[in-house]
Amino acid sequence: MSEKGKLYLVATPIGNLEDITFRAIRTLKEVDLIAAEDTRQTVKLLNHFEIKKTLLSYYEHNKIEKGNYLIGQLLEGKNIALVSDAGSPGISDPGEDLVRLAIENDIDVTMIPGAVAAITGLVISGLPTGRFVFEGFLPMNKRARKERILSLKNEVRTIIFYEAPHKLYYTLKDLYEVLGDRQIAMARELTKKFEEVIRCNLSAAIELYGNESPRGEYVLMVEGISEQIIEDEEKRKWDEISLEEHVDMYVNQGMSKKEAIKKVAEDRGISKRDVYNSVMVD
Ligand code: SAM
């Protein structure tokens, strides 16, 4: 049997064609076949760099059938490049399914790194970049969207979303309703002539897009909840029961009195001595 081919995930520009790498161009020239999320978009890119290659479409609605075909080709020894509409394949596109299939079939997978819209937006958002979480597109279904946002209510890391312009306004409203008036950075047309980042809070963002229609694709960065707010809420929770009730709660759960006092002090952010004095005196 012939040797298996290799699957190359090739990052392409998210707007500015100068953002392609030398290695990406060489790889696209050398592979046997290119699978593309949007062939019309990729044709423009290939024409620009004078790359003549067989193109095959691979996107959400044909990924099962085409995925199996591509794996067949790889098993027969063909080298294949996968490109997304823009940016890094495998992030918020069906690339991840092809990677999984390739790995299951013991096919080598590699990536030619380059632009990622999420990271490009995050870096210039002005929000903390040390810890972040990528959420991609929110679910379309109204209830599922609300539930997803609710699951992020206590997220302390910066949260990144992708969003299309026609859904932006509703997304901003849902975010505001569930998360409150957080800071947001809305990055659009990244790397293009009209690149813009609007940094404001969610209520101002809603007001802005209540008056004008958004244009271009967006990356949204929303600030995480502050650790202080979580701590304050935790502490407030304990205000509803007395120190004795709090200690008894842990004793009833099987802790010794000493352990319970220590835990109560931690929960409330007060000293063990204060808990001890109050519980023992009463
Ligand atoms: N895999 C690509 C990546 O991560 O770079 C993204 C693919 S996803 C289908 C497309 C989304 O990426 C868009 O809806 C938008 O949210 C974001 N995006 C892509 N290019 C962008 C740009 N130039 N400016 C802002 N957002 C962009």
Side-chain angles (χ1 to χ4, degrees), residues 14 84 86-88 91-93 115-117 137 162-163 187-190 192 217-219:
I14 55 169
S84 121
S88 293
I91 304 295
S92 290
D93 65 34
V116 190
F137 293 101
Y162 282 163
E163 195 49 286
R188 67 181 195 105
E189 304 278 85
L190 287 165
K192 301 184 194 175
E217 299 289 290
Y218 282 77
V219 185

mmCIF file of all heavy atoms in Angstrom, residues 14 84 86-88 91-93 115-117 137 162-163 187-190 192 217-219, ligand 1:
data_model
loop_
_atom_site.group_PDB
_atom_site.id
_atom_site.type_symbol
_atom_site.label_atom_id
_atom_site.label_comp_id
_atom_site.label_asym_id
_atom_site.label_seq_id
_atom_site.Cartn_x
_atom_site.Cartn_y
_atom_site.Cartn_z
ATOM 1 N N ILE A 14 -7.151 37.329 7.208
ATOM 2 C CA ILE A 14 -8.541 37.649 7.590
ATOM 3 C C ILE A 14 -8.978 38.963 6.930
ATOM 4 O O ILE A 14 -9.948 39.576 7.337
ATOM 5 C CB ILE A 14 -8.720 37.711 9.130
ATOM 6 C CG1 ILE A 14 -7.744 38.704 9.787
ATOM 7 C CG2 ILE A 14 -8.591 36.345 9.756
ATOM 8 C CD1 ILE A 14 -8.065 38.998 11.250
ATOM 9 N N SER A 84 -9.698 27.867 5.521
ATOM 10 C CA SER A 84 -11.034 28.325 5.894
ATOM 11 C C SER A 84 -11.343 29.573 5.082
ATOM 12 O O SER A 84 -10.518 30.051 4.302
ATOM 13 C CB SER A 84 -11.034 28.521 7.410
ATOM 14 O OG SER A 84 -11.336 29.798 7.790
ATOM 15 N N ALA A 86 -11.549 32.513 6.026
ATOM 16 C CA ALA A 86 -10.525 33.496 6.400
ATOM 17 C C ALA A 86 -9.942 33.059 7.726
ATOM 18 O O ALA A 86 -10.658 32.499 8.550
ATOM 19 C CB ALA A 86 -11.157 34.868 6.569
ATOM 20 N N GLY A 87 -8.660 33.272 7.904
ATOM 21 C CA GLY A 87 -8.039 32.971 9.201
ATOM 22 C C GLY A 87 -7.628 31.517 9.345
ATOM 23 O O GLY A 87 -7.280 30.852 8.367
ATOM 24 N N SER A 88 -7.689 31.049 10.580
ATOM 25 C CA SER A 88 -7.160 29.720 10.884
ATOM 26 C C SER A 88 -8.223 28.634 10.776
ATOM 27 O O SER A 88 -9.225 28.698 11.486
ATOM 28 C CB SER A 88 -6.583 29.708 12.304
ATOM 29 O OG SER A 88 -5.445 30.533 12.323
ATOM 30 N N ILE A 91 -10.934 26.685 13.661
ATOM 31 C CA ILE A 91 -11.509 27.537 14.691
ATOM 32 C C ILE A 91 -12.848 28.071 14.174
ATOM 33 O O ILE A 91 -12.883 28.836 13.211
ATOM 34 C CB ILE A 91 -10.570 28.732 15.033
ATOM 35 C CG1 ILE A 91 -9.181 28.241 15.446
ATOM 36 C CG2 ILE A 91 -11.174 29.620 16.114
ATOM 37 C CD1 ILE A 91 -9.126 27.438 16.729
ATOM 38 N N SER A 92 -13.928 27.609 14.804
ATOM 39 C CA SER A 92 -15.291 27.989 14.385
ATOM 40 C C SER A 92 -15.562 27.654 12.919
ATOM 41 O O SER A 92 -16.207 28.433 12.207
ATOM 42 C CB SER A 92 -15.563 29.485 14.617
ATOM 43 O OG SER A 92 -15.643 29.755 15.976
ATOM 44 N N ASP A 93 -15.047 26.533 12.454
ATOM 45 C CA ASP A 93 -15.401 26.027 11.133
ATOM 46 C C ASP A 93 -15.205 24.503 11.166
ATOM 47 O O ASP A 93 -14.694 23.980 12.155
ATOM 48 C CB ASP A 93 -14.574 26.719 10.028
ATOM 49 C CG ASP A 93 -13.093 26.416 10.115
ATOM 50 O OD1 ASP A 93 -12.726 25.298 10.516
ATOM 51 O OD2 ASP A 93 -12.297 27.301 9.780
ATOM 52 N N ALA A 115 -2.951 34.146 10.692
ATOM 53 C CA ALA A 115 -3.967 34.996 11.335
ATOM 54 C C ALA A 115 -5.083 34.189 11.989
ATOM 55 O O ALA A 115 -5.530 33.176 11.461
ATOM 56 C CB ALA A 115 -4.568 35.918 10.281
ATOM 57 N N VAL A 116 -5.507 34.669 13.153
ATOM 58 C CA VAL A 116 -6.720 34.174 13.815
ATOM 59 C C VAL A 116 -7.486 35.428 14.229
ATOM 60 O O VAL A 116 -6.942 36.281 14.944
ATOM 61 C CB VAL A 116 -6.426 33.377 15.115
ATOM 62 C CG1 VAL A 116 -7.686 32.685 15.608
ATOM 63 C CG2 VAL A 116 -5.299 32.413 14.942
ATOM 64 N N ALA A 117 -8.722 35.534 13.789
ATOM 65 C CA ALA A 117 -9.497 36.745 14.090
ATOM 66 C C ALA A 117 -9.603 36.973 15.601
ATOM 67 O O ALA A 117 -9.446 38.099 16.078
ATOM 68 C CB ALA A 117 -10.884 36.637 13.446
ATOM 69 N N PHE A 137 -19.110 31.399 17.970
ATOM 70 C CA PHE A 137 -20.465 31.931 17.744
ATOM 71 C C PHE A 137 -21.405 31.416 18.828
ATOM 72 O O PHE A 137 -21.335 30.242 19.189
ATOM 73 C CB PHE A 137 -20.989 31.464 16.382
ATOM 74 C CG PHE A 137 -20.249 32.050 15.221
ATOM 75 C CD1 PHE A 137 -19.283 31.320 14.552
ATOM 76 C CD2 PHE A 137 -20.524 33.341 14.790
ATOM 77 C CE1 PHE A 137 -18.593 31.853 13.479
ATOM 78 C CE2 PHE A 137 -19.838 33.886 13.709
ATOM 79 C CZ PHE A 137 -18.873 33.148 13.054
ATOM 80 N N TYR A 162 -17.425 35.415 18.284
ATOM 81 C CA TYR A 162 -17.523 35.838 16.890
ATOM 82 C C TYR A 162 -18.976 36.236 16.659
ATOM 83 O O TYR A 162 -19.886 35.620 17.223
ATOM 84 C CB TYR A 162 -17.176 34.675 15.939
ATOM 85 C CG TYR A 162 -15.690 34.413 15.798
ATOM 86 C CD1 TYR A 162 -15.231 33.205 15.272
ATOM 87 C CD2 TYR A 162 -14.750 35.363 16.159
ATOM 88 C CE1 TYR A 162 -13.883 32.958 15.129
ATOM 89 C CE2 TYR A 162 -13.397 35.126 16.015
ATOM 90 C CZ TYR A 162 -12.972 33.910 15.504
ATOM 91 O OH TYR A 162 -11.633 33.672 15.360
ATOM 92 N N GLU A 163 -19.192 37.250 15.834
ATOM 93 C CA GLU A 163 -20.575 37.605 15.532
ATOM 94 C C GLU A 163 -20.722 38.224 14.156
ATOM 95 O O GLU A 163 -19.838 38.948 13.687
ATOM 96 C CB GLU A 163 -21.122 38.561 16.607
ATOM 97 C CG GLU A 163 -22.631 38.700 16.599
ATOM 98 C CD GLU A 163 -23.382 37.353 16.558
ATOM 99 O OE1 GLU A 163 -23.396 36.715 15.477
ATOM 100 O OE2 GLU A 163 -23.955 36.943 17.579
ATOM 101 N N ALA A 187 -14.454 44.577 17.682
ATOM 102 C CA ALA A 187 -13.437 44.752 16.635
ATOM 103 C C ALA A 187 -14.018 44.302 15.305
ATOM 104 O O ALA A 187 -14.527 43.197 15.188
ATOM 105 C CB ALA A 187 -12.200 43.931 16.976
ATOM 106 N N ARG A 188 -13.964 45.192 14.311
ATOM 107 C CA ARG A 188 -14.496 44.802 13.001
ATOM 108 C C ARG A 188 -13.516 45.165 11.890
ATOM 109 O O ARG A 188 -12.633 45.999 12.081
ATOM 110 C CB ARG A 188 -15.855 45.451 12.751
ATOM 111 C CG ARG A 188 -15.780 46.935 12.613
ATOM 112 C CD ARG A 188 -17.142 47.516 12.394
ATOM 113 N NE ARG A 188 -17.002 48.881 11.924
ATOM 114 C CZ ARG A 188 -17.193 49.253 10.678
ATOM 115 N NH1 ARG A 188 -17.581 48.390 9.773
ATOM 116 N NH2 ARG A 188 -17.017 50.496 10.324
ATOM 117 N N GLU A 189 -13.673 44.478 10.768
ATOM 118 C CA GLU A 189 -12.836 44.744 9.595
ATOM 119 C C GLU A 189 -11.342 44.668 9.947
ATOM 120 O O GLU A 189 -10.545 45.453 9.413
ATOM 121 C CB GLU A 189 -13.163 46.121 9.011
ATOM 122 C CG GLU A 189 -14.619 46.338 8.654
ATOM 123 C CD GLU A 189 -14.982 45.762 7.310
ATOM 124 O OE1 GLU A 189 -15.296 44.554 7.272
ATOM 125 O OE2 GLU A 189 -14.923 46.467 6.316
ATOM 126 N N LEU A 190 -11.016 43.744 10.825
ATOM 127 C CA LEU A 190 -9.616 43.639 11.273
ATOM 128 C C LEU A 190 -8.670 43.413 10.100
ATOM 129 O O LEU A 190 -8.992 42.640 9.188
ATOM 130 C CB LEU A 190 -9.489 42.482 12.276
ATOM 131 C CG LEU A 190 -10.084 42.757 13.650
ATOM 132 C CD1 LEU A 190 -10.244 41.463 14.456
ATOM 133 C CD2 LEU A 190 -9.237 43.758 14.421
ATOM 134 N N LYS A 192 -8.138 45.223 7.728
ATOM 135 C CA LYS A 192 -8.588 45.852 6.484
ATOM 136 C C LYS A 192 -8.493 47.374 6.615
ATOM 137 O O LYS A 192 -8.190 47.905 7.683
ATOM 138 C CB LYS A 192 -10.041 45.473 6.189
ATOM 139 C CG LYS A 192 -10.249 43.970 6.062
ATOM 140 C CD LYS A 192 -11.674 43.668 5.681
ATOM 141 C CE LYS A 192 -11.966 42.195 5.886
ATOM 142 N NZ LYS A 192 -13.341 41.858 5.643
ATOM 143 N N GLU A 217 -17.755 41.881 9.725
ATOM 144 C CA GLU A 217 -17.804 40.787 10.695
ATOM 145 C C GLU A 217 -17.135 41.255 11.983
ATOM 146 O O GLU A 217 -16.192 42.038 11.934
ATOM 147 C CB GLU A 217 -17.055 39.572 10.150
ATOM 148 C CG GLU A 217 -17.622 39.030 8.866
ATOM 149 C CD GLU A 217 -18.952 38.350 9.074
ATOM 150 O OE1 GLU A 217 -18.969 37.273 9.683
ATOM 151 O OE2 GLU A 217 -19.974 38.911 8.650
ATOM 152 N N TYR A 218 -17.614 40.757 13.087
ATOM 153 C CA TYR A 218 -17.131 41.259 14.379
ATOM 154 C C TYR A 218 -16.461 40.193 15.240
ATOM 155 O O TYR A 218 -16.861 39.030 15.235
ATOM 156 C CB TYR A 218 -18.303 41.799 15.198
ATOM 157 C CG TYR A 218 -18.755 43.166 14.759
ATOM 158 C CD1 TYR A 218 -19.531 43.315 13.614
ATOM 159 C CD2 TYR A 218 -18.396 44.290 15.469
ATOM 160 C CE1 TYR A 218 -19.943 44.567 13.196
ATOM 161 C CE2 TYR A 218 -18.806 45.548 15.058
ATOM 162 C CZ TYR A 218 -19.574 45.683 13.924
ATOM 163 O OH TYR A 218 -19.980 46.926 13.511
ATOM 164 N N VAL A 219 -15.470 40.632 16.000
ATOM 165 C CA VAL A 219 -14.989 39.855 17.131
ATOM 166 C C VAL A 219 -15.325 40.692 18.358
ATOM 167 O O VAL A 219 -15.041 41.890 18.391
ATOM 168 C CB VAL A 219 -13.460 39.608 17.081
ATOM 169 C CG1 VAL A 219 -13.048 38.683 18.228
ATOM 170 C CG2 VAL A 219 -13.033 38.994 15.762
HETATM 171 N N1 SAM B 1 -11.363 30.377 11.431
HETATM 172 C C1 SAM B 1 -11.385 31.817 11.390
HETATM 173 C C2 SAM B 1 -10.444 32.393 12.448
HETATM 174 O O1 SAM B 1 -10.566 31.969 13.598
HETATM 175 O O2 SAM B 1 -9.677 33.280 12.158
HETATM 176 C C3 SAM B 1 -12.781 32.361 11.632
HETATM 177 C C4 SAM B 1 -13.861 31.699 10.887
HETATM 178 S S1 SAM B 1 -15.432 32.188 11.400
HETATM 179 C C5 SAM B 1 -16.421 31.248 10.288
HETATM 180 C C6 SAM B 1 -15.626 33.787 10.771
HETATM 181 C C7 SAM B 1 -15.776 34.831 11.870
HETATM 182 O O3 SAM B 1 -14.468 35.307 12.244
HETATM 183 C C8 SAM B 1 -16.529 36.052 11.444
HETATM 184 O O4 SAM B 1 -17.935 35.886 11.563
HETATM 185 C C9 SAM B 1 -16.019 37.101 12.400
HETATM 186 O O5 SAM B 1 -16.665 36.986 13.638
HETATM 187 C C10 SAM B 1 -14.559 36.686 12.534
HETATM 188 N N2 SAM B 1 -13.723 37.418 11.583
HETATM 189 C C11 SAM B 1 -13.100 36.923 10.493
HETATM 190 N N3 SAM B 1 -12.398 37.899 9.872
HETATM 191 C C12 SAM B 1 -12.580 39.037 10.583
HETATM 192 C C13 SAM B 1 -12.131 40.390 10.445
HETATM 193 N N4 SAM B 1 -11.331 40.753 9.446
HETATM 194 N N5 SAM B 1 -12.506 41.284 11.383
HETATM 195 C C14 SAM B 1 -13.299 40.931 12.397
HETATM 196 N N6 SAM B 1 -13.779 39.667 12.565
HETATM 197 C C15 SAM B 1 -13.418 38.741 11.676
#
